[in-house]
């Protein structure tokens, strides 16, 4: 499978554009209340770490991983942050023995504007029971408007749903054109909780979660 690690000017431009955005994605803002207080969080392909940074207060620790950690240097001494410089697509999966995240478990994994299909199973396996996956990236159709256009970097219709099928409870899913977004384009977004096995109900259904932050 071709990887997305090329550093051609086009790819570098996209990264620079993304690094200029410091506010977290509205999708994460909408669902970050589902991340356990004092949970361990992974911001995968973190870039400048805007998503991991936004949950640092509620987390016990956040792991930021990217092949380029220049924009994360200010976090190197942060007591709750761990910054890992690693190529996520370079041979051994980061989740497998010998990988940068081998045997690590998280209460939430956040992936925004990054896709390397081979990692999807490892991401789900790395979640603790009741862990939350918040994933948002470009999908097929985006090529008509803007980069990324490479099909390796564009989700197929329903692909994130297929990835979590029978493994996680889907809380929310969207696929379509997003005009009012940090990076406009065709996006697929998923929020899912790994709690299909946690039922306390006679019918085996998983627990219900608040769709918005609980007000007291
Ligand atoms: C478009 S940026 C998104 C950054 C961040 N998630 C955000 O939304 O602000 C994609 C990120 O993926 C990282 N990336 C691309 N290929 C990678 C690889 N093979 N290994 C590790 N990181 C990679 C880039 O360095 C870049 O920071």
């Amino acid at each position: 499978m071709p990887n997305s690690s090329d550093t051609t000017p086009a790819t570098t431009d996209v990264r620079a554009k993304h690094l200029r955005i410091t506010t977290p994605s509205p999708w994460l803002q909408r669902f970050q209340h589902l991340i356990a207080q004092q949970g361990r969080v992974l911001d995968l392909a973190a870039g400048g770490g805007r998503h991991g940074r936004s949950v640092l207060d509620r987390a016990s620790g956040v792991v930021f991983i990217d092949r380029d950690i220049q924009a994360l240097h200010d976090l190197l001494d942060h007591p709750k942050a761990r910054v890992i410089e690693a190529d996520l697509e370079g041979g051994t999966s980061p989740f497998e023995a010998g990988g940068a995240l081998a045997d690590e478990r998280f209460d939430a994994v956040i992936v925004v504007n990054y896709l390397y299909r081979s990692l999807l199973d490892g991401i789900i396996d790395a979640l603790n029971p009741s862990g939350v996956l918040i994933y948002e990236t470009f999908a097929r159709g985006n090529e008509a408007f803007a980069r990324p256009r490479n099909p390796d970097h564009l989700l197929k219709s329903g692909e994130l749903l297929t990835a979590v099928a029978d493994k996680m409870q889907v809380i929310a899913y969207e696929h379509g054109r997003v005009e009012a977004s940090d990076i406009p384009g065709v996006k697929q977004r998923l929020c899912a909780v790994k709690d299909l096995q946690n039922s306390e109900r006679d019918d085996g259904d998983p627990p219900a979660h608040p769709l918005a932050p609980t007000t007291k």
Side-chain angles (χ1 to χ4, degrees), residues 23-149:
T23 51
S25 135
W27 190 249
L28 172 68
Q29 293 182 51
R30 183 171 159 195
F31 290 110
Q32 66 180 18
H33 65 277
L34 295 178
I35 299 174
Q37 289 287 350
Q38 298 307 308
R40 270 196 98 221
V41 179
L42 172 64
D43 185 352
L44 188 109
R50 61 188 169 127
H51 300 105
R53 289 174 194 271
S54 78
V55 297
L56 262 173
D57 279 351
R58 72 182 296 130
S60 62
V62 179
V63 175
F64 300 80
I65 187 164
D66 202 290
R67 68 179 174 193
D68 182 342
I69 59 165
Q70 278 183 58
L72 297 167
H73 273 197
D74 62 300
L75 290 172
L76 289 172
D77 295 326
H78 191 292
K80 288 208 219 173
R82 192 167 128 227
V83 176
I84 302 176
E85 182 175 15
D87 181 359
L88 294 164
E89 304 168 21
T92 308
S93 160
F95 299 105
E96 287 174 4
L101 300 168
D103 299 324
E104 303 248 7
R105 292 292 174 268
F106 300 95
D107 300 298
V109 177
I110 304 164
V111 190
V112 179
N113 296 338
Y114 175 76
L115 176 65
Y116 183 55
R117 291 191 162 82
S118 304
L119 298 180
L120 287 170
D121 286 345
I123 289 170
I124 297 166
D125 290 347
L127 280 164
N128 283 323
S130 297
V132 183
L133 174 61
I134 297 176
Y135 206 129
E136 167 178 359
T137 196
F138 299 95
R140 285 184 181 177
N142 193 69
E143 68 279 358
F145 304 100
R147 294 191 198 97
R149 294 192 165 91

Side-chain angles (χ1 to χ4, degrees), residues 194-211:
K194 193 173 170 182
D195 61 0
L196 292 183
Q197 314 304 326
N198 300 9
S199 180
E200 294 178 354
R201 293 170 53 100
D202 292 342
D203 60 14
D205 267 13
H209 299 280
L211 294 178

